[in-house]
């Protein structure tokens, strides 16, 4: 069966540390993998996209890796801040599906001062 | 510029009532998506429009769910004879065509929280 799974437990880290979130999938062949941030009561906000032929993508304090052999993406936030506390969603963007996204269940990140 | 807006933000319905949820996408965005998000879960795809054409409705859970986008801009998601299991947040997203941006990055609205009693 097809599955996409993120860290099941909430992630609690200290300010200044690096947060690492995991996204694993089975039986999908995505063209892209996207990461979104969602705050309570709000819609998801796009953060980063990585293509299937890319290994790594960076944007400011964010880094995403994509291993299509392991079927895994890692999302890193370096020098984390309390303002980074939110739920982070990974989403698969499949070929020829019109752009519809298949989301993981999300990982809740809490950064303590 | 304005983002994606949705109305109402909150809707309480009695079981069996019909509801209509509205989405105003970003101006010029050709693609429009509806997702359903249960508490503690990620969004799940419901349906997708390109302009006024509904190209994929494979995620609609039953024939009680109906979506339209008659003029290729505003979209309405209608749920007939609501059931308690329909309680969720309904998210709308819009995007530019892939050929213009090379990606399918979606811009989400704040969602409509539907509670069916």
């Amino acid at each position: 069966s097809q599955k996409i799974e993120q860290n099941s437990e909430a992630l609690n880290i200290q300010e200044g540390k690096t947060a690492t979130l995991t996204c694993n999938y089975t039986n999908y062949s995505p063209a892209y993998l996207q990461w979104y941030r969602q705050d309570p009561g709000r819609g998801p906000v796009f953060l980063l996209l990585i293509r299937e032929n890319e290994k790594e993508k960076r944007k400011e304090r964010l880094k995403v890796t994509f291993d299509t052999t392991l079927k895994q993406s890692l999302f890193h936030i370096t020098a984390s801040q309390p303002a980074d506390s939110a739920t982070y969603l990974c989403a698969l963007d499949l070929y020829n599906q019109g752009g519809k996204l298949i989301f993981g269940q999300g990982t809740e990140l809490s950064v303590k001062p | 510029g304005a983002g994606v807006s949705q109305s109402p933000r909150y809707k309480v319905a009695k079981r069996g009532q019909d509801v209509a949820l509205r989405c105003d996408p970003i101006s010029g965005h050709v693609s429009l998506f509806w997702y359903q998000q249960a508490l503690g879960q990620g969004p799940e795809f419901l349906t997708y429009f390109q302009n006024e054409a509904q190209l994929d409705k494979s995620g609609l859970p039953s024939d009680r769910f109906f979506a339209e986008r008659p003029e290729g801009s505003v979209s309405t998601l209608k749920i007939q004879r609501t059931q308690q299991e329909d309680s969720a947040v309904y998210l709308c997203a819009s995007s530019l065509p892939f050929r213009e941006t090379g990606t399918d990055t979606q811009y989400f609205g704040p969602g409509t929280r539907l509670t069916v009693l």
Side-chain angles (χ1 to χ4, degrees):
Chain A
S1 64
Q2 295 175 314
K3 279 193 307 186
I4 173 169
E5 290 184 336
Q6 299 186 239
N7 310 56
S8 55
E9 303 280 331
L11 191 59
N12 296 300
I13 64 168
Q14 206 65 33
E15 183 175 8
K17 300 292 187 185
T18 296
T20 299
L21 284 68
T22 304
C23 178
N24 294 291
Y25 60 92
T26 56
N27 295 324
Y28 284 114
S29 295
Y32 309 95
L33 191 145
Q34 302 189 28
W35 283 88
Y36 286 78
R37 169 185 172 140
Q38 187 172 28
D39 291 282
R42 310 191 74 159
V45 174
F46 172 76
L47 295 174
L48 274 173
L49 174 149
I50 188 164
R51 294 176 167 77
E52 63 158 348
N53 60 351
E54 295 177 317
K55 298 291 186 190
E56 184 179 296
K57 182 75 74 73
R58 292 175 186 259
K59 179 182 174 183
E60 297 172 351
R61 294 184 297 112
L62 309 180
K63 183 177 88 170
V64 173
T65 63
F66 193 14
D67 188 326
T68 54
T69 302
L70 290 179
K71 296 188 183 296
Q72 181 181 77
S73 176
L74 298 178
F75 178 79
H76 306 273
I77 306 175
T78 58
S80 59
Q81 304 165 0
D84 296 326
S85 299
T87 295
Y88 291 85
L89 297 159
C90 70
L92 302 182
D93 188 347
L94 308 178
Y95 286 102
N96 302 318
Q97 294 290 308
K100 78 180 187 188
L101 297 176
I102 314 295
F103 283 91
Q105 80 273 29
T107 297
E108 187 177 348
L109 172 67
S110 178
V111 181
K112 303 294 186 188
Chain B
V4 177
S5 61
Q6 294 187 244
S7 61
R9 289 295 314 278
Y10 304 91
K11 177 69 178 177
V12 178
K14 291 184 180 176
R15 190 160 53 97
Q17 280 185 328
D18 297 348
V19 298
L21 313 180
R22 177 187 168 107
C23 173
D24 282 83
I26 293 172
S27 178
H29 278 197
V30 167
S31 301
L32 186 146
F33 303 83
W34 284 99
Y35 294 86
Q36 180 190 60
Q37 186 172 27
L39 192 64
Q41 300 297 314
E44 287 199 14
F45 171 79
L46 294 176
T47 187
Y48 153 62
F49 291 85
Q50 190 170 87
N51 295 305
E52 68 278 4
Q54 189 175 21
L55 299 186
D56 186 343
K57 53 183 181 180
S58 61
L60 296 176
S62 76
D63 58 7
R64 297 186 295 104
F65 286 70
F66 172 75
E68 59 184 7
R69 194 187 185 197
E71 297 178 359
S73 56
V74 171
S75 178
T76 304
L77 177 68
K78 297 178 179 177
I79 310 174
Q80 297 176 324
R81 303 182 304 281
T82 51
Q83 306 290 315
Q84 283 187 321
E85 62 262 27
D86 300 335
S87 295
V89 174
Y90 290 85
L91 294 164
C92 174
S94 69
S95 69
L96 287 166
F98 178 87
R99 65 179 179 277
E100 291 189 22
T101 63
T103 76
D104 292 312
T105 301
Q106 297 183 15
Y107 298 83
F108 283 82
T112 294
R113 180 177 295 278
L114 173 65
T115 303
V116 182
L117 303 176

